Amino acid sequence: MAFWTLTPELLAKQLETNPVTGLSAAARKLRLAASTTNERRPHPALAILVGQFRSPILLLMIAAAGLSFFLHQPVDAAVVLLIILGSTAIGFQHEYRASQAVAKLLSIVETKVTVMQDGIEASVPTKDIVVGDIVKVSAGSIVPADGLLVTSTNLAVDEATLTGETFPVDKEPGPSEESAAIRDRKGVLFSGSHVVSGAGIFIVAATGKQTELGSIAKVLATQRPEAEFERGLRRFGMLLVNLTLLLTLAVFAINTFLGRPVLESFLFALALAVGLTPQLLPAIVSVNLSRGAVEMAKAKVIVKRLPAIENLGSMNVLCSDKTGTLTLGTVHVHGAFDADGKASPEVLRLAQINAKLQSGFQNPIDASLVASVTDQQTEYPKLLDELPYDFLRKRLSVLVQGDTQTLISKGALEPILSVCTISTDTKSVSQLASVRSQFAEFSGQGLRVLGVATKTLPTSTLQVSNADENDLTFRGFVVLEDPLRPEIARIVANLKSMGVQLKVITGDNRLVAATLGRSLNLDNPEPLTGKELQRLSDAALVHQVRTRQVFAEIEPNQKARIILALKHAGFVVGYIGDGINDASGLHAADAGISVANAVDIAKEAADFVMLEPGLEVILQAVQEGRRTFANTMKYVFMVTGANFGNMFSLAGASLLVPFLPLLPKQVLMMNFLTDIPEMFVATDAVDPEQLLAPQRWNIKFLVKFMIVFGALSSLFDFATFGILLLMRVPQALFQSAWFIESVASAALVVLVVRSRLPFFRTRPGRGLLVATICIACVVFLIPLTPLGPTLGLRVLPLPMLGIVIAIVSTYVLAAEIAKRVFYRFVHA
């Protein structure tokens, strides 16, 4: 029997829990251990280790090495396997350390829920919820599991994740038919939904994969849209895959056609593929991102989704709400006035009663109204019922019992006026015009205006519905002030100088929003309103968002539409939000940013959580994002420059010389040695010039870079071939000389391509510099060690050694000159 057909008492008995006091601590511990075991979560270290072997080419290489064991080439096979394992060990170590650092940071902003344990409220991580838990939820809470309601107070839940319905669903305890659809199970809360208003207590009946969200195919639709950095990384990967397949198949076919041993040709082709594949890219990206996350934590920003750091570096538009980010977030009561514009303590008292007695999400406005109560105003009437605030009505009403039953409504001025009875007599019309005139005057000063209205109901009325919000009497309005942060104009100017345009998305009216835009010195402070936006097609909106900087009177579902339009217009978009209505915007943005005291749904949807409000920390986070992106791109330049050139040269040389220019094990060792300096890219210093503007993937630019620097590398490689062939050196010396030249040149050119500045004018990070110099020296010494003969390397005669050093030195200088010319004529 489905749990939603039961009463809370029957379900509690079935699950051996108490609907009031919850599970005991011991029972929770046992159930948590059992659920963790059943899910069989792999250890993070194991998952990362397996991930090192995700490349099919690498697996083919291991299989081919195994085959050579059976063909009586055990030494060569062992060398190949050791090099592959050494490379994966380096990648594993860096990725694992990175994941551990990030895990510690994520624990700081872990989403928690309130459960009853031994009759006492306890806060536990959402992932640790177990069947039988008694969970409390309120406005802004994410529902962590499927369960049956025990009690509810004006509970409204957004179930769009499961049903696609945009309107919240009212929930109340009670069994449902077994065949009832998800939307018709009024007494059930579902994992993945979130509370819009009200509060409730429910019994957990299913967790994880056993929930509706875990089992239905629609969960795929909740995946976050592909972000800027991930899209660029995928396109770059596809470019290299295509090049690798083309070159590898061609080299294998031609070497086989020339009559060389099939296994040796196959191993050589695979070794080329390994050399072309950016094997360390996942590790480099992970290390870069984790280091960025640690540095951002120092700036009071916790990273929840690592790839978003790169998006922050590419971000050129930052969308923000007003309250708490651009303003101090401490709302003050500026005054209360009646319909004639006279100061009115009674209007303020009514607004305070409404704010104090409502049981929904405590927002800064209600908090400020309650805080403004004087000692003589501490007694409140009894609350009988309420109509929670929602973003369509834009009102909140409470039914109170005093001398009479009174419905007190407060909300945005126009929605309040729309449910008030306005007489058509001259006095009333004049009074209404006066109210709207004062509204415009206060709004023009950047002040927020709330309307207050009341209605007397029969004493028998104990409950109200939305239908009761009509024929109210307008009592007046409350004026509120939330001052701008003193430093905000400077911060907005700094963002602009860094190439980041601020766009304000607010629910405030257009007059307040326009005043805000002018105060921030925005280029275009004229707002686009929600009603105007509604009439625009998607294509027209894309055109509008290019130039508009202020969006006013915006509905919650319009925020995501604005952000998606900005992305379609070619912008990389960041969004700051902390409320229930910000989740869709945070989900749609390339970089979603929330704050530590935000509601659960906002923190869960965000990529970053600021431990302190305001935009000051965003400036530092953007700088760190750009630093991380710059160091990631350095590795890409190294792979597409020297590495690609070397592999292309190997492919060409195999056609020109009567033997393989390098043995497969030598190709792998070359790849392994050149990877070592590149592992230190994450700690490299970044030139200040690279932090001045947003940085983005540019595949066309990368292709041009690959052609120019790959061709330059190949030019010197073929010069080396020519000299060695003219000297008629034997095969072993030929391979040794070219191995040394390739590794030394690929290592040293890292110091050239890492910066647009001349290499002697920019100081690399200590780790990168030391590793580069060490590898450049070690490669000359390998033939002198026992490893040399194992790899098939011979000691070079001094004249040949001098030639190799001269070629490497000339290549580094030529790369520096090519870099200057390239950046003069080619722009990213």
Side-chain angles (χ1 to χ4, degrees), residues 116-145:
M116 297 304 297
Q117 182 174 288
D118 292 319
I120 301 171
E121 290 187 6
S123 181
V124 301
T126 302
K127 62 182 177 61
D128 291 343
I129 290 295
V130 297
V131 171
D133 265 331
I134 307 301
V135 179
K136 286 190 170 186
V137 291
S138 57
S141 297
I142 292 175
V143 179

Side-chain angles (χ1 to χ4, degrees), residues 109-410:
V109 291
E110 189 173 42
T111 304
K112 296 186 177 182
V113 293
T114 301
V115 303
M116 297 304 297
Q117 182 174 288
D118 292 319
I120 301 171
E121 290 187 6
S123 181
V124 301
T126 302
K127 62 182 177 61
D128 291 343
I129 290 295
V130 297
V131 171
D133 265 331
I134 307 301
V135 179
K136 286 190 170 186
V137 291
S138 57
S141 297
I142 292 175
V143 179
D146 288 1
L148 199 63
L149 268 174
V150 178
T151 63
S152 69
T153 306
N154 299 302
L155 185 62
V157 178
D158 186 334
E159 295 180 345
T161 305
L162 291 95
T163 65
E165 296 289 341
T166 55
F167 292 100
V169 179
D170 292 328
K171 294 286 185 177
E172 56 186 23
S176 306
E177 295 290 334
E178 186 159 7
S179 59
I182 290 174
R183 70 189 68 191
D184 296 326
R185 299 177 201 169
K186 299 298 183 181
V188 178
L189 295 187
F190 295 101
S191 173
S193 60
H194 68 271
V195 179
V196 175
S197 60
I201 298 174
F202 73 99
I203 305 173
V204 173
T207 62
K209 295 179 181 178
Q210 282 69 49
T211 64
E212 291 288 347
L213 185 64
S215 61
I216 64 176
K218 276 188 178 180
V219 69
L220 299 175
T222 68
Q223 291 180 351
R224 183 181 295 272
E226 187 178 41
E228 166 75 11
F229 176 73
E230 293 163 318
R231 184 164 52 250
L233 196 61
R234 175 177 53 79
R235 292 174 62 198
F236 172 67
M238 288 303 299
L239 171 68
L240 287 187
V241 165
N242 291 334
L243 286 172
T244 300
L245 285 175
L246 183 65
L247 198 57
T248 304
L249 291 174
V251 167
F252 175 65
I254 293 171
N255 275 285
T256 305
F257 177 76
L258 293 175
R260 291 165 186 163
V262 174
L263 178 61
E264 192 173 60
S265 298
F266 183 60
L267 280 169
F268 178 70
L270 286 179
L272 277 183
V274 172
L276 278 169
T277 304
Q279 223 177 311
L280 288 181
L281 185 58
I284 292 289
V285 169
S286 293
V287 172
N288 258 317
L289 294 178
S290 64
R291 182 178 181 274
V294 171
E295 292 301 315
M296 288 175 72
K298 295 177 183 176
K300 305 293 185 182
V301 178
I302 302 300
V303 181
K304 291 186 60 189
R305 201 171 68 92
L306 288 181
I309 296 178
E310 309 277 12
N311 295 334
L312 206 59
S314 304
M315 181 180 73
N316 49 18
V317 165
L318 176 62
C319 298
S320 174
D321 196 355
K322 184 188 77 170
T323 305
T325 306
L326 306 178
T327 66
L328 291 172
T330 52
V331 180
H332 304 289
V333 178
H334 182 79
F337 306 89
D338 62 20
D340 295 320
K342 298 176 182 177
S344 173
E346 176 61 15
V347 170
L348 180 58
R349 188 185 72 84
L350 291 170
Q352 289 167 342
I353 291 172
N354 178 287
K356 175 68 176 179
L357 297 183
Q358 67 96 10
S359 62
F361 177 67
Q362 287 292 325
N363 59 67
I365 290 176
D366 287 332
S368 69
L369 286 168
V370 173
S372 66
V373 175
T374 63
D375 291 339
Q376 289 76 31
Q377 296 173 317
T378 54
E379 292 188 8
Y380 292 94
K382 180 183 177 182
L383 175 67
L384 297 175
D385 197 14
E386 66 180 301
L387 298 172
Y389 180 90
D390 65 56
F391 298 103
L392 295 175
R393 291 166 41 252
K394 294 187 177 180
R395 296 183 297 270
L396 188 155
S397 299
V398 294
L399 178 65
V400 298
Q401 185 181 56
D403 297 332
T404 59
Q405 317 289 70
T406 306
L407 185 71
I408 305 173
S409 293
K410 126 179 150 297

Side-chain angles (χ1 to χ4, degrees), residues 549-560:
Q549 286 185 265
V550 181
F551 301 86
E553 301 170 18
I554 297 300
E555 304 290 345
N557 59 348
Q558 292 177 327
K559 294 185 177 183

Side-chain angles (χ1 to χ4, degrees), residues 518-563:
R518 288 190 290 270
S519 301
L520 297 176
N521 298 316
L522 299 183
D523 295 331
N524 182 9
E526 184 60 31
L528 177 71
T529 66
K531 288 183 180 178
E532 293 168 338
L533 187 150
Q534 223 167 13
R535 295 193 292 267
L536 294 175
S537 66
D538 289 342
L541 181 59
V542 168
H543 176 73
Q544 285 284 338
V545 296
R546 294 179 193 275
T547 55
R548 297 281 191 165
Q549 286 185 265
V550 181
F551 301 86
E553 301 170 18
I554 297 300
E555 304 290 345
N557 59 348
Q558 292 177 327
K559 294 185 177 183
R561 191 178 172 213
I562 292 170
I563 290 166

